[in-house]
Every structure is written in structure tokens, then in C-alpha cells.
Amino acid sequence: MKTLWAILVVLILLLQVRLWIGEGSFAQVWSLEKAIAEQRAENAGLAGRNDRLYAEVRNLRNEQGAVEERARMNLGLIREDETFFLVVEN
């Protein structure tokens, strides 16, 4: 009877080791859940950035004034009937 109990205890210990350390263990599940949460947070930030970029693209496609504003700010666009003034601060 003692050998049967010893065998049962060894089997239970082996199952516990697999539960806590082996593949599909609690530790592995916890680390995967943490990685999933981090990835979801990163994806949410990237989705917000994508939304802002899509809004900017729609604005540039639909409004001629937006394209002209970009050209003025980034490329220094000046029309023929305009006078350019450069204000230098000391």
C-alpha cells in the first residue's frame, strides 16, 4: 500500500511540475497575456496615429486650400501678386 501511495505522490508531483513549469504552464500563459496586453496598447497608439494621418490625407485630397497651406508652410510658396516680407528678430 505504501508503494501505491508513493507512486500516486510521484505522479501528482510530475503533473504539478508540468502545470507550473512545462509548455502551456501558468507561467507561460501569464507571460503571453502580458505580451498580448503590451501589443494591444501599442496597436491602440498606432491606430490613433493612423486615424490622424487618414484625416490629414482626406483633408489634402478634398480641399485645395490645405494643399496651398502646406506649400506655403513647407515649401515657401509665394504667388505672383503677393509680396514677400522677411521679419528678422534680433
Side-chain angles (χ1 to χ4, degrees), residues 7-64:
I7 292 172
L8 287 175
V9 167
V10 169
L11 284 174
I12 289 173
L13 288 175
L14 288 175
L15 289 174
Q16 286 291 318
V17 167
R18 183 164 185 233
L19 179 68
W20 291 101
I21 298 174
E23 187 174 333
S25 66
F26 285 134
Q28 186 181 22
V29 169
W30 290 330
S31 67
L32 287 175
E33 286 176 352
K34 181 181 175 185
I36 288 170
E38 290 172 358
Q39 189 64 51
R40 284 186 176 151
E42 183 180 348
N43 288 352
L46 293 174
R49 187 188 76 174
N50 284 348
D51 291 340
R52 288 189 303 275
L53 289 173
Y54 286 136
E56 187 175 337
V57 167
R58 280 193 307 271
N59 188 21
L60 289 172
R61 283 185 181 166
N62 295 335
E63 296 182 24
Q64 185 63 26

Side-chain angles (χ1 to χ4, degrees), residues 68 72 78-85:
E68 184 177 332
R72 287 179 181 278
I78 303 170
R79 289 190 173 179
E80 289 183 19
D81 59 344
E82 295 179 340
T83 304
F84 176 72
F85 291 99

